[in-house]
Amino acid sequence: MDPLIITCLGLLGLLAVFDLYVGVSNDAVNFVNSAVGSRTAPFYVIMAVASAGVLAGATFSSGMMEIAKSGVLVPSQFTFTEVLIIFSAVMVTDVLLLNVFNSLGLPTSTTVSIVFELLGGTMALACLKVWTNELPITDLALYVNSAKALSMIMAILVSVVVAFVAGLVVQFVMRLLFTFNYARAYRILGGLFGALCMTAIVYFLVMKGAKGASFMTPEMLEWLKTNNDPILLAVFGISFLLMQGAILLKNANIFPFVILAGTFSLAFAFAGNDLVNFVGVPLAALDAWHIFSAAEGADPSSFMMGQLAEPTTASSMWLLLSGVVMVGTLWISKKARRVIITSVKLSSSSRGGKEQFGSSLPARVLVRTTLHASNMIQQFLPASLLRGLGSRYVPRQYKPGEIELPFDEIRATVNLVLAAALIASATSLKLPLSTTYVTFMVAMGSSLADGAWDRESAVYRVSGVLTVISGWFLTAFSAATACGIVTILFLWGGTWLMIAGMVVACALLVKSNFFTKEEGLDLDDGREISEGNRDAIFTKLEAAVRDNVRETLNIASGGIEGLLNQDVHSLRRLKSDAVKLFDKATEQRGEYYTMSTNANAPKADRDARNFYYRACTNMKEVAHELRDQIGVSENYVANSHSAMTGSMAANLGKLAHLLRTMDPTMKPDECRRVHELIDEAQNEYLAQFSQEKISLRKSELFLGKLIFTREMLNRFSMVKFLLAGLEEQREEGLYQADADRAKKQAGAASS
């Protein structure tokens, strides 16, 4: 056997491991976001349950492996070498494409990527064969399993609409039954709701998914089919008795159990349906090698792979090992947690936080059109009906200091169980349904039905959905095009280029996934809701001011140095840091609205909140101006404008040094030296301007730096004054409290 072919197979296996890592990093959001968003259990418990579901579901994915072998290409029309080229190109393209989307934090579809990569690689090679052999263009249909490919693509597209509508309708009905304050309805309907969920989970995962399990025998499948109704009735009856009994007798909360069961089921369905996306192609290549090896003395460039279309059962060992890799990825991948943030925030009902996406024209038009249509419909509906519906949507009132969840347990359960049911149904039909499409659109439909998209957030949420969906279509186009190009390159370059391409793909993935710092999971963006009392506000504001001043001084001084050194890469990095600082300052000021709004709170606490708002407003304005200043400097250097010279360069260098060495407490002597330097720099600029020609663009940039620095010092001085005033009030309050306490103790002793 050619050692190069063995090397290719080994690298395909290694790429399968990377594809599992990259793919699960993308798709982990599919089965953990609902449990994470509802805070139903600690994160490690959710991950443990999801891990168990992935391991179990991996063994049920055997039937889906046929998709990679004969779902798109017609094996009898390709030689062993050509099949190996297509499979290698698919894997190289897949891991790199998914890694790009993960880095952007966008949940894309691994199903779409693998299907369209197979389609693009097959079509590219088929077109080349037809063109080389001067065959009619209609012969392309002989190389592509068009009927199966079309059914898969249609199933993926239809799933978007079905999942969204199903999530919308089911969540609307559930909210009408339970409302947001569902304590009363829960005691009556909780057991029935939980039993229905558990029955649906067993039916769709076990009863319908069993025929895809690698260990199921025909006798076992027949027994399940014969006893289908008794099994489901038993599951429903036992679940209802146990759950309703726990509710009535122990006042237990069954939702965490149901949500974790739904997490397990969705992870199970994900592994059963999507495992083919990651290891199906390498396993198909392994099967092709076994077929070729059995034909002793065969020429790989002429041996046709018709036997590859014959149905086989994937080895349970390979499936279980794949499940182990997927579980490991769940625990170590930070990119997986980054994608979770995107999906949870788009479904969130929380107020006061920063939206993940900005607005867009299509979203504005869509929201405005929907509002007009809603107003027209309301005119034809009875007022009593509208009042009745409105009473079911009265939001839950949170206590001061209580963290508002992205969504509650009702919506989390609907998201999990409904998505698992739809995915498991497709798996039983051997359709590679996009789990990303289904779970994301179910979550979007349920959030819309829940009123999470109000007028304050609708445009941003719709923009986010349109962005993600456009990313999916971009995935299809880019996957097919890129894989087609890679296939042609591998065909022309031969085995050595295939090996080189797979090695490069592995190296890039190792670098981007293991040697790049990634942000961790932070669903609240660092927001901590304060109770709004004076002491808590002072502690929070003191820490915020210290950190903000330090970061601002570092970025401002670095921006000046980057401008003087003409270092565009440093300026781009600092611009990103400035944007993050502005976002952080915006969120800190937004905490003002989450503090206790008790109108009867002591005057000292109300004053402290006002101090907090004014101080944070000043810090936000500084961060905004700093972001703009760094952006102007970056554009200036990127456009290769002339560098600073003479006294302008010298004074900017001195200014950068003073800012770099300034104490974050903003000592008066240091601030005075900076102001004196700014005055001196402005005077020397006028002298230099009179002696040489200085462009308007350079002058604006130089003077802008000076004005920004002066404004920054003035605003931070105001922040320092506000913080000092708050501290003085706090100390007076502590002194008065000590005096009152001593007076009471003295009175008690005398009595």
Side-chain angles (χ1 to χ4, degrees):
M1 179 60 67
D2 188 346
L4 293 181
I5 294 179
I6 300 297
T7 303
C8 285
L9 292 173
L11 287 173
L12 277 174
L14 184 60
L15 281 176
V17 176
F18 280 119
D19 206 14
L20 282 168
Y21 183 89
V22 176
V24 174
S25 295
N26 183 283
D27 283 1
V29 63
N30 296 344
F31 47 86
V32 301
N33 67 328
S34 292
V36 170
S38 63
R39 308 294 205 284
T40 193
F43 188 71
Y44 71 89
V45 174
I46 296 171
M47 295 296 285
V49 172
S51 300
V54 167
L55 275 178
T59 61
F60 275 64
S61 63
S62 176
M64 297 296 295
M65 296 301 160
E66 300 300 319
I67 298 297
K69 296 197 298 181
S70 57
V72 176
L73 59 86
V74 179
S76 60
Q77 298 296 322
F78 296 95
T79 66
F80 173 71
T81 299
E82 292 169 341
V83 165
L84 194 60
I85 288 173
I86 293 175
F87 289 160
S88 299
V90 167
M91 291 303 296
V92 169
T93 306
D94 196 54
V95 292
L96 295 179
L97 186 69
L98 291 180
N99 192 63
V100 169
F101 275 90
N102 286 351
S103 299
L104 297 175
L106 293 177
T108 189
S109 171
T110 56
T111 303
V112 168
S113 64
I114 202 72
V115 169
F116 278 88
E117 282 155 3
L118 283 168
L119 185 61
T122 303
M123 286 297 296
L125 197 54
C127 288
L128 189 61
K129 288 167 71 74
V130 168
W131 177 68
T132 303
N133 297 320
E134 299 182 353
L135 299 173
I137 192 67
T138 55
D139 281 6
L140 286 175
L142 300 176
Y143 298 90
V144 181
N145 190 346
S146 55
K148 184 65 176 179
L150 182 61
S151 67
M152 291 189 296
I153 294 171
M154 290 302 298
I156 292 171
L157 295 177
V158 171
S159 70
V160 174
V161 179
V162 172
F164 183 82
V165 173
L168 177 68
V169 173
V170 174
Q171 181 60 33
F172 179 74
V173 173
M174 290 297 104
R175 191 57 70 193
L176 290 181
L177 293 174
F178 284 95
T179 75
F180 285 99
N181 300 281
Y182 49 81
R184 182 178 178 183
Y186 168 73
R187 292 188 62 83
I188 301 173
L189 301 174
L192 178 63
F193 179 68
L196 288 173
C197 291
M198 296 305 298
T199 305
I201 289 172
V202 172
Y203 174 68
F204 286 106
L205 263 67
V206 180
M207 310 303 291
K208 293 185 73 66
K211 59 185 178 181
S214 58
F215 56 84
M216 293 296 287
T217 63
E219 293 76 15
M220 296 171 65
L221 292 174
E222 184 62 29
W223 183 86
L224 285 175
K225 182 178 180 180
T226 304
N227 297 279
N228 183 72
D229 293 341
I231 292 174
L232 294 178
L233 288 174
V235 171
F236 176 81
I238 294 173
S239 299
F240 176 76
L241 292 175
L242 290 176
M243 293 183 181
Q244 193 64 33
I247 292 171
L248 297 177
L249 301 178
K250 299 292 185 180
N251 199 28
N253 183 8
I254 65 167
F255 281 118
F257 174 79
V258 176
I259 290 174
L260 290 177
T263 301
F264 175 90
S265 66
L266 195 50
F268 185 104
F270 156 76
N273 192 279
D274 275 19
L275 188 59
V276 64
N277 300 341
F278 313 128
V279 301
V281 169
L283 289 180
L286 185 62
D287 285 348
W289 178 70
H290 285 310
I291 294 171
F292 174 71
S293 300
E296 297 182 3
D299 183 2
S301 61
S302 60
F303 183 79
M304 308 304 290
M305 297 303 301
Q307 296 181 53
L308 194 61
E310 297 177 2
T312 57
T313 301
S315 171
S316 297
M317 180 190 69
W318 290 119
L319 299 179
L320 191 59
L321 286 175
S322 301
V324 171
V325 175
M326 295 166 80
V327 169
T329 301
L330 285 178
W331 289 95
I332 66 176
S333 174
K334 292 183 179 179
K335 285 188 177 180
R337 304 187 180 194
R338 185 178 182 182
V339 179
I340 290 171
I341 295 172
T342 300
S343 187
V344 171
K345 286 182 178 178
L346 282 175
S347 304
S348 175
S349 304
S350 301
R351 61 185 174 89
K354 174 181 176 290
E355 292 291 341
Q356 181 80 358
F357 294 89
S359 63
S360 63
L361 179 60
R364 294 172 188 167
V365 173
L366 187 58
V367 170
R368 192 177 298 114
T369 303
T370 303
L371 287 174
H372 289 323
S374 176
N375 292 333
M376 292 182 61
I377 293 173
Q378 289 181 16
Q379 295 177 7
F380 295 96
L381 295 178
S384 58
L385 176 61
L386 295 176
R387 285 195 300 270
L389 292 175
S391 67
R392 310 303 290 176
Y393 275 81
V394 176
R396 176 191 168 193
Q397 296 298 318
Y398 285 84
K399 298 178 182 178
E402 184 180 2
I403 295 179
E404 184 177 355
L405 300 179
F407 42 83
D408 63 12
E409 295 165 320
I410 299 291
R411 177 140 60 106
T413 305
V414 170
N415 289 347
L416 290 165
V417 176
L418 188 57
L422 293 174
I423 294 168
S425 298
T427 303
S428 67
L429 299 174
K430 294 187 178 181
L431 289 175
L433 198 69
S434 172
T435 57
T436 301
Y437 283 17
V438 171
T439 54
F440 187 85
M441 295 311 294
V442 166
M444 293 303 100
S446 65
S447 62
L448 178 60
D450 241 6
W453 297 5
D454 58 18
R455 296 190 64 165
E456 301 301 323
S457 62
V459 169
Y460 308 105
R461 303 290 172 85
V462 173
S463 292
V465 172
L466 294 178
T467 299
V468 174
I469 292 178
S470 62
W472 295 342
F473 286 102
L474 178 63
T475 301
F477 175 77
S478 56
T481 304
C483 191
I485 294 173
V486 173
T487 300
I488 297 302
L489 291 176
F490 284 179
L491 181 65
W492 288 343
T495 309
W496 282 108
L497 184 59
M498 292 166 55
I499 293 175
M502 288 188 277
V503 170
V504 170
C506 291
L508 291 175
L509 287 170
V510 169
K511 179 180 182 299
S512 62
N513 286 280
F514 299 103
F515 293 96
T516 302
K517 185 178 179 181
E518 290 287 341
E519 297 178 0
L521 180 64
D522 186 12
L523 293 172
D524 295 319
D525 290 333
R527 289 189 296 121
E528 295 178 0
I529 296 182
S530 169
E531 294 182 1
N533 63 72
R534 181 176 53 195
D535 292 341
I537 291 175
F538 175 77
T539 302
K540 181 183 288 292
L541 184 59
E542 185 180 37
V545 171
R546 182 178 60 250
D547 295 341
N548 190 284
V549 172
R550 182 185 297 109
E551 291 182 42
T552 300
L553 292 175
N554 287 335
I555 295 173
S557 59
I560 296 174
E561 292 167 354
L563 173 63
L564 294 176
N565 297 329
Q566 298 285 288
D567 187 351
V568 68
H569 298 293
S570 173
L571 289 172
R572 285 172 182 166
R573 176 181 55 80
L574 289 168
K575 182 180 178 182
S576 176
D577 293 340
V579 169
K580 293 178 181 178
L581 180 61
F582 174 74
D583 291 342
K584 182 179 178 181
T586 303
E587 292 156 8
Q588 287 173 338
R589 192 179 76 163
E591 292 178 21
Y592 171 83
Y593 302 101
T594 65
M595 294 176 180
S596 173
T597 56
N598 183 8
N600 298 320
K603 183 178 183 300
D605 290 348
R606 298 199 301 272
D607 290 343
R609 289 200 291 271
N610 292 333
F611 275 106
Y612 180 88
Y613 184 82
R614 291 169 62 191
C616 287
T617 297
N618 278 282
M619 291 191 294
K620 178 185 175 182
E621 290 302 318
V622 171
H624 183 274
E625 294 169 8
L626 176 64
R627 182 192 64 181
D628 292 345
Q629 273 294 315
I630 299 297
V632 171
S633 298
E634 187 228 343
N635 289 333
Y636 187 90
V637 175
N639 292 331
S640 301
H641 295 304
S642 60
M644 297 288 173
T645 58
S647 62
M648 298 171 68
N651 286 321
L652 283 180
K654 294 176 183 178
L655 182 61
H657 175 71
L658 288 179
L659 295 179
R660 177 75 68 185
T661 57
M662 180 176 285
D663 191 277
T665 58
M666 307 286 291
K667 295 179 179 179
D669 290 344
E670 294 177 332
C671 293
R672 186 175 62 255
R673 283 198 295 270
V674 174
H675 280 294
E676 291 173 352
L677 176 61
I678 292 174
D679 293 337
E680 181 182 348
Q682 287 179 317
N683 291 330
E684 293 184 0
Y685 159 75
L686 293 176
Q688 184 176 351
F689 185 80
S690 63
Q691 297 174 3
E692 63 179 88
K693 183 177 181 181
I694 302 176
S695 68
L696 177 62
R697 182 177 286 105
K698 183 187 292 186
S699 298
E700 287 288 319
L701 179 60
F702 174 77
L703 294 176
K705 292 290 183 186
L706 302 183
I707 293 174
F708 163 74
T709 305
R710 193 187 297 276
E711 184 70 16
M712 176 187 68
L713 294 180
N714 291 339
R715 285 191 177 275
F716 277 151
S717 296
M718 176 60 68
V719 170
K720 185 179 178 181
F721 173 78
L722 291 168
L723 187 62
L726 182 57
E727 184 178 19
E728 182 179 351
Q729 287 191 5
R730 179 171 174 265
E731 290 177 349
E732 289 178 358
L734 293 174
Y735 175 79
Q736 185 63 43
D738 290 340
D740 293 342
R741 190 181 305 108
K743 185 176 181 180
K744 288 182 180 179
Q745 291 175 350
S750 62
S751 62

